[in-house]
Amino acid sequence: MAFTTEVEFDQAYASVRAAFTSGRTKSKDWRRHQLKRAWWMVEDNKSRILDALRADLNKHPLEAMLGELTGLQNDILRTLDKLDEWTKDEKPTRWDPINFLGGTVVRQEPLGVSLIIGAWNFPFMLTLQPLVAAIAAGCAVVLKPSEVAQASQDLLMEIIPKYLDRDAIQCISAGPLEMKHILETRQDCVYCCCQTFDTGHFGIGSQGPAIVAPSADIDLAAKHVAWAKFMNAGQVCINVNHVLIDPRIREAFVTRLIHYFDEFTGGRENQPDYCSRIINERNFDRLESLLDRTSGKVIYGGIRNRQTRYFGPTIVVDVNPDDSLLSEELFGPILPIIDADLDAAISFTRSNEHPLALYAFTNVESEKTRIQNETVSGGVTFNDCILHAAALDAPFGGVGNSGIGSYHGKYGILAFSHLRTYANAIPTWIEGVMGARYPPYSDANMRKLSPPVKAPFDREGNDITSRSKVLSTAATLAVLGFSVWMFGAREKLPPYAKNWLRK
């Protein structure tokens, strides 16, 4: 499929901008209708989606359903069920006079026209899940699937205009050259889950470690790590990039790791049809180059076939910190193993960019606490892999170099929203008290509006226990009550204030 031309993109952008300006995407009815249509888009085209994933990555239907479709459809249903709750107005504390008398509310409003740039490793989940969040937030969307996963891109280009609002949601195709023009166009929000374009929200990947301590269940740790590296041929942004393991248990761990790789593949000389393939020759060659340049020792390596893009799981030990395998995110089925006790593992992790995911295998609570307190990452899973990214209603995202912001559930809606504060003028009958704000300024007026502020702690940071806090609170309530009753008449209060007083 040919890429969208500049003229075609400009037309698509103008349509989406006009749709958002009209205000129709803010309607809850519009949002719900589009989300329902999106659910049926996936349902009606499920077999075609599976075929596209097979063509692009050789994904087995089990991996495709688990990693792409089931979670996506459940996310749509969850969003529909919780839409009102996740988008309702918030009322700041009513103990503040401005909030109480002015009826202050904080409203979630859509950021506007959102550009969503999909990723090729999960071309449906990582393209459509942010679309669900953008729709739920009330945004209009320009959607750009990854051109690297061509079959998936072509299918999305076909089905999205058939199911979704063609004016407010436009699907385009583009490569690196075309993206220059697209990114020069004003966008109110950019979502990107890839390393090429990292100017927007969310995770873009990193070198995520797995720390294995002596207290870990070695067999289960090896099984979980082997599964993570096997999934999608290691092409997962939250995969285990390398293992940091205590030297005392390295041999036992590697033995079990080899056992599970053999079990999962049917042996290192096998090329199972259910194993995903490397996305293209360029990435295949990149992985081979990294492996050729390693100073570590390859102790397990299966078949590598450039023609079919099959790259068997590979274990490399005796890897140094400056090794080629640690020079970039691997994004493949190569597993470097580094000898490191817990202190060294934490130190090594802290010396690198913050990872999108960190995995730690230990059954000692104090070690878990150290890892939590002494490292930084987008998320953490203890004694397993990837689970934190699948947690219901929990945020998923990166930090620092591994991404900006988070999404999933209500956090996705927030990512595509602006929190807008609304306040009403306070009632005119209290203007006499507020008149002190007007010029000419005086010390007397300053004392009325800015009375002395006293802290409940001393200069050393020690809390002060006295009656002052109680008296201060009582005085504040007394002044508020006096203002309400002395100036006028309860009947002059706005309706929301009257209702509050009746409670």
Side-chain angles (χ1 to χ4, degrees):
M1 179 179 289
F3 290 143
T4 302
T5 66
E6 288 189 9
V7 172
E8 290 170 335
F9 170 76
D10 290 343
Q11 292 172 343
Y13 177 82
S15 172
V16 170
R17 177 64 65 185
F20 181 75
T21 302
S22 73
R24 80 176 194 238
T25 65
K26 292 184 178 182
S27 162
K28 291 286 185 67
D29 289 339
W30 181 88
R31 302 185 208 186
R32 289 190 179 91
H33 182 69
Q34 296 306 307
L35 291 172
K36 292 173 183 176
R37 293 286 293 166
W39 192 93
W40 280 108
M41 178 178 72
V42 175
E43 184 68 18
D44 292 345
N45 294 280
K46 194 168 288 184
S47 62
R48 298 184 68 195
I49 291 172
L50 295 176
D51 289 344
L53 291 169
R54 189 66 126 170
D56 286 330
L57 289 151
N58 198 53
K59 280 194 182 182
H60 187 274
L62 186 149
E63 271 197 16
M65 291 298 297
L66 180 67
E68 301 259 14
L69 301 184
T70 302
L72 173 61
Q73 288 190 292
N74 284 335
D75 187 46
I76 295 172
L77 297 178
R78 180 73 172 173
T79 301
L80 281 165
D81 183 53
K82 293 288 186 177
L83 186 62
D84 287 335
E85 177 185 334
W86 288 348
T87 59
K88 68 181 179 182
D89 293 348
E90 296 181 10
K91 295 181 179 180
T93 176
R94 268 18 187 183
W95 290 106
D96 175 74
I98 292 176
N99 292 345
F100 172 61
L101 297 172
T104 305
V105 297
V106 178
R107 178 167 296 170
Q108 289 179 214
E109 297 199 352
L111 285 173
V113 174
S114 298
L115 171 64
I116 296 174
I117 303 170
W120 55 258
N121 57 326
F122 289 88
F124 290 92
M125 172 65 86
L126 295 182
T127 304
L128 297 180
Q129 194 171 46
L131 175 63
V132 169
I135 291 171
C139 291
V141 177
V142 175
L143 192 69
K144 208 289 293 184
S146 173
E147 77 285 4
V148 178
Q150 188 172 343
S152 298
Q153 172 206 252
D154 293 350
L155 181 56
L156 286 167
M157 289 285 291
E158 175 191 337
I159 63 178
I160 283 174
K162 289 182 179 179
Y163 283 82
L164 303 180
D165 186 330
R166 294 189 181 189
D167 296 326
I169 302 169
Q170 289 274 343
C171 192
I172 63 166
S173 60
L177 293 177
E178 291 76 18
M179 284 304 301
K180 183 177 185 298
H181 175 70
I182 292 170
L183 292 173
E184 287 173 348
T185 307
R186 175 197 162 193
Q187 309 290 342
D188 299 314
C189 176
V190 177
Y191 164 89
C192 178
C193 191
C194 57
Q195 293 176 314
T196 307
F197 307 106
D198 56 1
T199 56
H201 279 286
F202 316 126
I204 58 173
S206 61
Q207 295 173 286
I211 299 172
V212 185
S215 64
D217 182 325
I218 303 302
D219 180 73
L220 203 55
K223 188 176 187 178
H224 290 160
V225 170
W227 166 73
K229 292 301 285 188
F230 181 86
M231 187 199 315
N232 205 29
Q235 300 166 117
V236 184
C237 60
I238 54 172
N239 211 326
V240 176
N241 189 77
H242 52 272
V243 172
L244 298 160
I245 189 164
D246 192 292
R248 293 171 291 177
I249 58 170
R250 189 238 274 180
E251 184 177 350
F253 176 80
V254 168
T255 298
R256 298 312 295 164
L257 200 59
I258 291 172
H259 167 81
Y260 285 114
F261 277 145
D262 281 341
E263 183 177 294
F264 295 165
T265 64
R268 68 185 75 186
E269 299 304 319
N270 194 28
Q271 296 185 61
D273 186 55
Y274 52 81
C275 180
S276 296
R277 301 301 194 252
I278 303 303
I279 184 66
N280 53 29
E281 287 85 359
R282 181 174 63 83
N283 276 280
F284 187 97
D285 293 343
R286 178 185 62 84
L287 290 169
E288 282 229 305
S289 175
L290 291 170
L291 197 57
D292 288 343
R293 291 183 284 120
T294 183
S295 59
K297 180 181 179 183
V298 178
I299 62 167
Y300 182 93
I303 293 174
R304 299 198 293 275
N305 186 326
R306 190 176 188 273
Q307 184 176 358
T308 64
R309 308 192 314 277
Y310 177 81
F311 201 113
T314 304
I315 303 172
V316 185
V317 298
D318 299 331
V319 175
N320 296 318
D322 59 351
D323 194 87
S324 62
L325 295 177
L326 300 178
S327 62
E328 62 181 75
E329 181 182 6
L330 287 171
F331 224 64
I334 303 171
L335 185 61
I337 296 181
I338 307 163
D339 290 346
D341 61 17
L342 185 61
D343 289 337
I346 290 174
S347 178
F348 181 80
T349 301
R350 292 175 64 175
S351 69
N352 291 299
E353 297 287 357
H354 302 324
L356 184 57
L358 185 153
Y359 304 110
F361 294 85
T362 174
N363 288 308
V364 176
E365 290 302 316
S366 61
E367 292 179 342
K368 291 182 181 180
T369 300
R370 282 197 62 192
I371 290 165
Q372 288 175 321
N373 293 342
E374 299 178 30
T375 64
V376 179
S377 65
V380 180
T381 296
F382 287 110
N383 295 315
D384 208 331
C385 298
I386 301 176
L387 294 186
H388 68 277
L392 184 65
D393 295 346
F396 168 71
V399 57
N401 194 58
S402 63
I404 304 169
S406 59
Y407 78 128
H408 284 185
K410 67 177 181 179
Y411 301 98
I413 297 176
L414 285 170
F416 287 94
S417 299
H418 164 62
L419 299 181
R420 192 179 186 188
T421 299
Y422 291 81
N424 296 291
I426 59 177
T428 56
W429 50 265
I430 207 170
E431 184 67 21
V433 173
M434 295 302 295
R437 63 179 166 165
Y438 301 118
Y441 300 138
S442 68
D443 290 344
N445 284 346
M446 180 179 70
R447 285 190 292 272
K448 290 179 183 178
L449 293 177
S450 299
V453 178
K454 293 185 178 181
F457 47 84
D458 63 21
R459 285 180 176 80
E460 304 301 321
N462 301 310
D463 292 335
I464 301 173
T465 55
S466 69
R467 294 184 298 171
S468 59
K469 189 173 181 180
V470 175
L471 292 175
S472 175
T473 302
T476 300
L477 291 173
V479 170
L480 181 60
F482 178 79
S483 299
V484 170
W485 294 108
M486 284 294 295
F487 280 98
R490 179 185 181 118
E491 293 307 314
K492 293 183 181 179
L493 286 173
Y496 49 80
K498 290 185 199 175
N499 292 335
W500 190 86
L501 287 171
R502 290 194 190 104
K503 293 180 181 178

